[in-house]
Amino acid sequence: MTAATQNAQSGVHPASPERYDVVVVGAGFAGLYALYWFREKLGLRVRVLEKGGDVGGTWYWNRYPGARCDSESVYYCFSDHMPPEILQEWTWSERYARQPEILAYLRWVADKLDLRRDIDLNTAVTAAHYDENANVWRIATANGRIVEAPYFVTAVGCLHAAHLPQFEGLERFQGRWYHTADWPEEGVDFTGRRVGVIGTGATAVQVIPEVAGVAEHVYVFQRTPNHCIPGRNRRLTPEEIAEIKRNYPKIWQKMRQNRGGFPFDPATRSALETPPEERRQVYERAWEKGGLAFTQECFNDLGLNEEANRTAVEFFAEKIREIVRDPNVADLLTPKYPFGTKRPPLEHGYYETFNRPNVTLVDVRTSPIVRITPRGIETADREYELDDIVFATGFDAMTGALFAIDIRGRGGVSLKEYWAEGPRTYLGLTTHGFPNMFIITGPQSPSVLTNMVVSIEQHVEWIGACIEYMREHGYDVIEATAEAEQSWVDHHNQVASMTLLLKTDSWWVGANIPGKQRLVYPYVGGLDVYRAFCDNVAATGYQGFRLQSRAAAHA
Ligand code: N01
């Protein structure tokens, strides 16, 4: 079957397509940066196709109460690689910006850099097929457009495809229900209502205190507790903003060299080799400071050694017992698995919320949800009557949003088929059999284990340099070799196996989605190490890739 026949059969018709140099899917941080970089630095004709009604990506969809960023706002924004006014003119109000502020920022950037003229909103991409003969990606949208470009870049977000567990009876529920990842734009008033929240991940930890403040009663349906670190949010002062703005070039340099893309000072001492009293002080200081620095700045063996890790687990257990008055509730809220093997949420009054008389913790690990009834939620031992249900049940992360598009490479092979046993990538950026397709913050890249904006910029800049190199050298087809891909997959798995991540069920290992391959999805070797790999590949003429000019490809 020819590519054209396949395209015709699957709805990607080549009739009068629009043509660009690059098509980017998604207009969140990644899509906006890609558009800026490819258009302004490389002079390419770029089209960004975005499903949402505005730019923003994650920050457009996730508008649930309490949504804010767990990375500090002054570091969770575009860097000094953007025009200087982007860093200098925008001023963040709080240590962790709320969703409306981040969305306002992204809108502002889009306007300031005149990005909107190359973005189509309300344009969901349904299919992207590579046509080998023409060396183009042919992209179909839900509203019937066909767009073509030799380069196809996905900027679809790691956490976009919402996971709604298939509970029996939801369609008969007589109250209102919402998923946090697709929240009504007009907001939801929970005043005086009985609300059930399913899930206790980073999202739920933000939602629950907010809803508890207004609802008549909140029932929290918890399957697994998390190690929640105090965020210690506060307003930023004009003095500290000025100081940060002055130092941005140095700060960014530091973040680019940090394993997580943060301006942290990674610990150099071992928890086990530190005397207990001193160890406690280290944890206390990190707890007081608040924020994700806890994960890097305490000890260097927490991610690798279970005995070392237990010291952190014990510290959290003590803290939770100190805050939560009911010892049974405190015990239920205390994780028993290694710290850092699930994403630790930042909390703003989360544990205190369980001291409120209008909040009940329901342990669905021992008494699982059996069904949704017309009146509420039925667990193995009773029914909870509810007016509203909030599903804070997460995402089909890293692959879900990619598989939602019918992506097909050489020979009509679909990405979903090719990755049936788990993602296969070279550098998390490309995959064999899918020439000229680049995945921003894809599986097997550091992505969700880092400050996303730093990872996004690294990816976009690497892709930009690659396209430039190809143009300079007369190439127009680039494809990861099967061997290079295999060696990256092996390296990725080998580094992952040195950590404790596979010991715990988490979305990082795909365990939250029934039937999903259980393996580590993000690259755990660190953004600093990863960056060096990518730089080296570029410096050696794109080792591990087959580069061709179209004439040669046809020969
Ligand atoms: O999703 P999650 P999330 N029955 O998958 C539970 C990022 N984020 O949206 O742990 C009962 O972590 C599930 O239970 P369990 C951040 O990277 C960033 O909270 O699987 N419960 C879990 O408690 C984060 O990690 C920010 O046992 C069920 C919850 O639902 C990622 O997004 C803010 C269930 C899902 O937790 C995802 O967080 C917020 C079932 N059938 C989030 N199915 C920022 O700061 C699932 N659960 C940028």
Side-chain angles (χ1 to χ4, degrees):
M1 199 191 306
T2 65
T5 329
Q6 284 163 359
N7 286 334
Q9 284 178 357
S10 57
V12 181
H13 303 286
S16 54
E18 303 160 48
R19 286 172 198 272
Y20 301 95
D21 296 323
V22 189
V23 169
V24 176
V25 186
F29 268 101
L32 294 178
Y33 195 67
L35 170 55
Y36 162 71
W37 197 264
F38 299 156
R39 190 181 79 185
E40 302 301 326
K41 303 277 181 179
L42 277 70
L44 298 177
R45 286 172 308 134
V46 187
R47 201 76 204 158
V48 176
L49 307 177
E50 165 58 53
K51 178 163 78 173
D54 203 347
V55 300
T58 286
W59 302 102
Y60 172 82
W61 299 103
N62 288 270
R63 357 172 157 93
Y64 56 83
R68 64 168 85 236
C69 189
D70 285 352
S71 299
E72 296 186 46
S73 45
V74 290
Y75 312 124
Y76 185 80
C77 51
F78 292 119
S79 78
D80 55 352
H81 287 185
M82 277 257 187
E85 63 270 22
I86 297 297
L87 266 184
Q88 294 303 325
E89 289 181 18
W90 184 267
T91 297
W92 295 103
S93 65
E94 292 181 275
R95 183 173 176 189
Y96 309 95
R98 277 193 183 265
Q99 173 267 337
E101 191 173 358
I102 304 174
L103 185 57
Y105 166 75
L106 291 170
R107 287 175 169 152
W108 175 79
V109 171
D111 291 334
K112 190 98 188 153
L113 300 177
D114 192 18
L115 298 179
R116 288 184 188 271
R117 68 181 150 95
D118 293 314
I119 301 172
D120 294 312
L121 301 172
N122 301 305
T123 305
V125 169
T126 52
H129 294 182
Y130 179 64
D131 179 335
E132 258 176 86
N133 296 323
N135 186 35
V136 292
W137 279 89
R138 196 160 288 131
I139 290 132
T141 72
N143 47 10
R145 277 172 55 199
I146 303 293
V147 182
E148 280 186 1
Y151 295 104
F152 171 52
V153 176
T154 67
V156 292
C158 298
L159 294 158
H160 177 66
H163 169 52
L164 183 69
Q166 294 304 296
F167 293 121
E168 180 200 323
L170 179 59
E171 68 291 350
R172 292 194 299 277
F173 179 56
Q174 284 168 1
R176 307 177 300 180
W177 67 268
Y178 308 94
H179 193 290
T180 48
D182 189 11
W183 202 258
E185 255 186 298
E186 63 281 10
V188 179
D189 185 5
F190 291 109
T191 308
R193 296 177 71 89
R194 297 162 303 172
V195 184
V197 179
I198 304 178
T200 49
T203 299
V205 167
Q206 295 181 332
V207 170
I208 290 163
E210 299 273 328
V211 178
V214 295
E216 180 194 305
H217 204 96
V218 177
Y219 296 89
V220 176
F221 295 84
Q222 174 189 271
R223 191 165 63 182
T224 318
N226 277 294
H227 294 105
C228 305
I229 303 168
R232 309 220 181 276
N233 187 41
R234 58 185 173 74
R235 292 198 73 77
L236 297 169
T237 66
E239 294 72 32
E240 61 191 318
I241 292 275
E243 172 78 5
I244 286 166
K245 285 188 178 179
R246 249 196 318 277
N247 288 317
Y248 257 140
K250 257 196 278 171
I251 293 173
W252 243 279
Q253 214 177 351
K254 183 172 181 181
M255 293 206 289
R256 291 192 185 103
Q257 282 153 17
N258 177 270
R259 56 175 291 115
F262 293 103
F264 299 156
D265 297 308
T268 50
R269 70 203 136 181
S270 139
L272 292 179
E273 287 163 15
T274 305
E277 198 37 49
E278 209 181 313
R279 190 164 61 210
R280 212 201 135 73
Q281 284 166 11
V282 170
Y283 284 136
E284 279 291 353
R285 276 199 298 275
W287 183 267
E288 280 315 307
K289 179 176 175 182
L292 293 173
F294 195 108
T295 60
Q296 273 197 28
E297 292 187 344
C298 290
F299 299 104
N300 63 5
D301 48 358
L302 299 185
L304 306 170
N305 180 306
E306 274 187 89
E307 205 187 331
N309 192 293
R310 252 193 305 279
T311 66
V313 173
E314 281 160 17
F315 177 79
F316 275 87
E318 259 178 57
K319 285 293 177 194
I320 297 167
R321 275 197 302 273
E322 273 171 28
I323 304 169
V324 179
R325 285 199 288 272
D326 180 329
N328 294 326
V329 176
D331 185 53
L332 276 179
L333 287 169
T334 302
K336 312 292 188 290
Y337 55 83
F339 168 70
T341 54
K342 276 167 99 78
R343 153 75 145 76
L346 290 200
E347 61 91 24
H348 307 276
Y350 179 68
Y351 289 124
E352 281 88 348
T353 299
F354 291 92
N355 292 331
R356 296 176 67 109
N358 71 332
V359 176
T360 302
L361 184 62
V362 180
D363 174 17
V364 297
R365 171 76 57 190
T366 50
S367 180
I369 296 173
V370 177
R371 64 181 64 82
I372 312 283
T373 68
R375 292 186 310 181
I377 293 179
E378 187 182 323
T379 65
D381 59 8
R382 62 162 277 198
E383 183 181 11
Y384 294 84
E385 287 191 24
L386 303 168
D387 301 309
D388 303 313
I389 301 175
V390 174
F391 290 86
T393 44
F395 301 87
D396 181 357
M398 312 226 49
T399 52
L402 287 170
F403 291 163
I405 302 171
D406 176 29
I407 298 174
R408 291 177 187 269
R410 279 192 203 283
V413 172
S414 84
L415 186 68
K416 202 169 175 180
E417 284 160 22
Y418 187 57
W419 286 5
E421 302 299 316
R424 302 191 53 75
T425 75
Y426 182 36
L427 305 172
L429 267 163
T430 60
T431 190
H432 175 66
F434 295 76
N436 294 5
M437 167 175 149
F438 297 99
I439 306 164
I440 301 183
T441 62
Q444 299 174 352
S445 81
S447 61
V448 292
L449 299 179
T450 68
N451 179 352
M452 286 303 283
V453 192
V454 181
S455 281
I456 284 167
E457 291 194 357
Q458 185 269 340
H459 267 188
V460 168
E461 291 170 20
W462 190 91
I463 297 165
C466 174
I467 295 176
E468 246 182 347
Y469 177 91
M470 289 173 66
R471 293 190 334 162
E472 277 165 17
H473 292 78
Y475 297 123
D476 51 15
V477 186
I478 183 165
E479 181 179 356
T481 66
E483 298 72 37
E485 180 176 279
Q486 186 60 48
S487 70
W488 184 254
V489 173
D490 292 344
H491 166 70
H492 168 90
N493 289 336
Q494 198 243 332
V495 187
S497 70
M498 290 161 65
T499 71
L500 304 175
L501 288 193
L502 279 163
K503 295 203 175 283
T504 306
D505 282 344
S506 75
W507 63 262
W508 283 340
V509 302
N512 62 329
I513 302 298
K516 190 163 175 169
Q517 293 292 329
R518 195 179 192 287
L519 34 89
V520 175
Y521 284 74
Y523 175 68
V524 298
L527 181 57
D528 48 347
V529 171
Y530 174 80
R531 184 187 296 276
F533 261 110
C534 292
D535 288 350
N536 183 50
V537 167
T540 53
Y542 295 88
Q543 206 177 39
F545 286 100
R546 197 161 69 119
L547 288 150
Q548 291 174 285
S549 71
R550 204 174 145 201
H554 280 190

